[in-house]
Amino acid sequence: MNHFKNIVTAFSLTITTTFAFSQTKPLDATLSNYQYPFEVHFLNLNSQKKNLKMAYMDVAPKKSNGKAIMLLHGKNFNGAYWEKTAKDLSDKGFRVIIPDQIGFGKSSKPQSYQFSFAQLADNTKAILDELKINKVIVLGHSMGGMVATRFTLMYPETVEKLILENPIGLEDYKTLAKYQTVDEAYQSELKNTAETYKNYQLKFYYDNKWKQEYQPWLDLIAGWTLHKDYPQVAWNSALTSDIIFNQPVVYEFKNIKTPTLLIIGTRDRTAIGKDRAPKEIQLMMGQYQELGKKTQREIAGSKLVELENVGHLPHIEVYDKFWNALYEFIK
């Protein structure tokens, strides 16, 4: 009887999983059939002999407090997942700028481009220049934390405050793991499916506890794998994986003079290239309960808010705790 029940349970889980993935719609390279939560604008960039379009949202404040804040997305995301954060910031009087980096979201996906964090920072500054914003608070999540760090180091006079939410790049991955060529990374990206993405997010983001509110952010990347444009997206993803691995910011945290807040979910174990590191090294990588403290010591005068038993996505997993830490720092 137990054996029969196990078979029924497994069958039910398969049906549920298949149904969940069947709701994921194919998405083209620039998400043209996906509506963002706010109006999308495009900046025409002439960069590296290419005419590119960089998407961004510009959310007006309900009643302006005279301050602007820029939200920078992670590698497996785009500006859309900042929806609730942006609405609450707007309600509190902030003008909110939300770019999609080149190679991500609704922005162009160039097939030959010298990606670097400096180039992404320069592209991002072009949006602020277009909008005539001279001072801005910068919040970066995951890979966006590496972009935010480089941006702050390049344009310290522009950044009023810096917030890093579970940033990657708190360690130098290339000293810990074997190098993966862009071609190898591309082949790996091509193997992604809705199921592999979900399994990754379950393990690294959500402690194997799935909630329905996580689904939209899975659908956005899983939908790409169902479209004929996916090789184009996968190639850009391989190129940007390469800069994460090869362009560390960890050695320059000591140079940041801007008031900085670290919001760290301590359960996070994200580390680029972990699967290519020796087993004994893997156990040492992505230890955010230690990396947060280490980074706070590097950034003079910085503040650390640790969120216990929270993973890589505090602003999705425990929004209220994330918001309280953020608003206390910027109000």
Side-chain angles (χ1 to χ4, degrees):
M1 180 63 74
N2 284 340
H3 179 66
F4 177 73
K5 284 172 70 176
N6 288 341
I7 291 173
V8 170
T9 301
F11 180 72
S12 299
L13 284 171
T14 301
I15 293 294
T16 303
T17 303
T18 303
F19 178 76
F21 291 143
S22 71
Q23 306 306 299
T24 304
K25 295 179 172 59
L27 296 169
D28 66 15
T30 55
L31 304 177
S32 60
N33 54 339
Y34 182 89
Q35 186 171 351
Y36 273 16
F38 311 102
E39 182 182 358
V40 177
H41 308 271
F42 289 92
L43 177 69
N44 293 315
L45 281 178
N46 190 292
S47 177
Q48 301 181 22
K49 297 185 176 181
K50 290 176 175 56
N51 293 316
L52 305 174
K53 287 186 176 296
M54 187 168 175
Y56 66 94
M57 291 173 277
D58 181 2
V59 185
K62 288 285 176 66
K63 183 180 178 183
S64 179
N65 63 11
K67 293 184 181 294
I69 183 167
M70 182 165 62
L71 313 180
L72 302 179
H73 63 76
K75 183 176 185 292
N76 288 329
F77 302 95
N78 55 57
Y81 78 154
W82 291 117
E83 178 177 5
K84 184 167 176 54
T85 309
K87 283 179 178 174
D88 285 347
L89 287 166
S90 171
D91 287 345
K92 294 295 186 183
F94 293 89
R95 182 180 182 180
V96 189
I97 311 302
I98 314 172
D100 276 350
Q101 296 299 334
I102 294 297
F104 296 85
K106 288 181 176 286
S107 293
S108 297
K109 309 288 184 306
Q111 293 305 282
S112 57
Y113 195 66
Q114 184 67 53
F115 277 100
S116 68
F117 286 118
Q119 180 69 72
L120 297 183
D122 186 75
N123 296 345
T124 303
K125 181 64 161 55
I127 290 176
L128 297 182
D129 291 345
E130 174 78 7
L131 299 175
K132 296 180 170 52
I133 295 174
N134 300 316
K135 280 280 186 185
V136 69
I137 299 165
V138 178
L139 163 57
H141 167 249
S142 193
M143 184 200 79
M146 296 185 80
V147 179
T149 299
R150 180 60 58 216
F151 186 94
T152 301
L153 290 165
M154 287 172 66
Y155 309 109
E157 70 288 345
T158 301
V159 183
E160 187 179 337
K161 290 183 177 182
L162 171 66
I163 304 101
L164 301 174
E165 177 200 358
N166 279 76
I168 57 173
L170 301 185
E171 51 198 335
D172 185 351
Y173 305 120
K174 67 181 176 354
T175 66
L176 302 168
K178 181 185 173 188
Y179 174 62
Q180 179 185 48
T181 68
V182 171
D183 293 307
E184 289 169 338
Y186 175 58
Q187 291 304 317
S188 179
E189 294 284 352
L190 287 176
K191 294 174 185 172
N192 282 327
T193 64
E195 190 169 5
T196 62
Y197 273 133
K198 183 172 183 178
N199 289 339
Y200 179 87
Q201 292 190 1
L202 266 171
K203 180 179 179 181
F204 290 100
Y205 298 173
Y206 305 124
D207 198 29
N208 290 305
K209 299 177 181 70
W210 191 258
K211 295 181 182 176
Q212 194 53 39
E213 57 259 37
Y214 304 157
Q215 192 69 36
W217 319 122
L218 170 65
D219 287 344
L220 269 167
I221 53 173
W224 267 332
T225 68
L226 302 174
H227 197 280
K228 63 181 175 60
D229 287 354
Y230 184 55
Q232 187 181 344
V233 174
W235 180 247
N236 270 216
S237 188
L239 292 173
T240 49
S241 291
D242 195 69
I243 66 170
I244 292 170
F245 193 81
N246 284 307
Q247 297 180 16
V249 294
V250 63
Y251 305 113
E252 295 170 84
F253 287 133
K254 65 181 183 294
N255 298 329
I256 294 175
K257 309 302 180 192
T258 305
T260 300
L261 168 67
L262 294 154
I263 302 176
I264 301 293
T266 60
R267 198 187 65 236
D268 193 358
R269 294 294 179 268
T270 304
I272 307 306
K274 185 185 284 190
D275 59 331
R276 303 191 303 274
K279 284 285 189 287
E280 64 276 14
I281 300 295
Q282 288 182 22
L283 297 172
M284 299 162 53
M285 295 175 70
Q287 298 288 325
Y288 274 76
Q289 80 285 2
E290 298 169 6
L291 292 170
K293 296 181 181 71
K294 178 175 177 286
T295 306
Q296 183 195 22
R297 291 193 295 269
E298 288 291 318
I299 304 175
S302 62
K303 180 182 179 185
L304 171 65
V305 173
E306 291 186 310
L307 303 177
E308 297 298 328
N309 196 33
V310 174
H312 190 59
L313 270 158
H315 77 271
I316 302 295
E317 187 182 352
V318 288
Y319 179 80
D320 289 345
K321 291 179 180 179
F322 161 80
W323 170 258
N324 290 339
L326 171 63
Y327 189 61
E328 180 65 28
F329 185 68
I330 65 174
K331 68 182 180 182

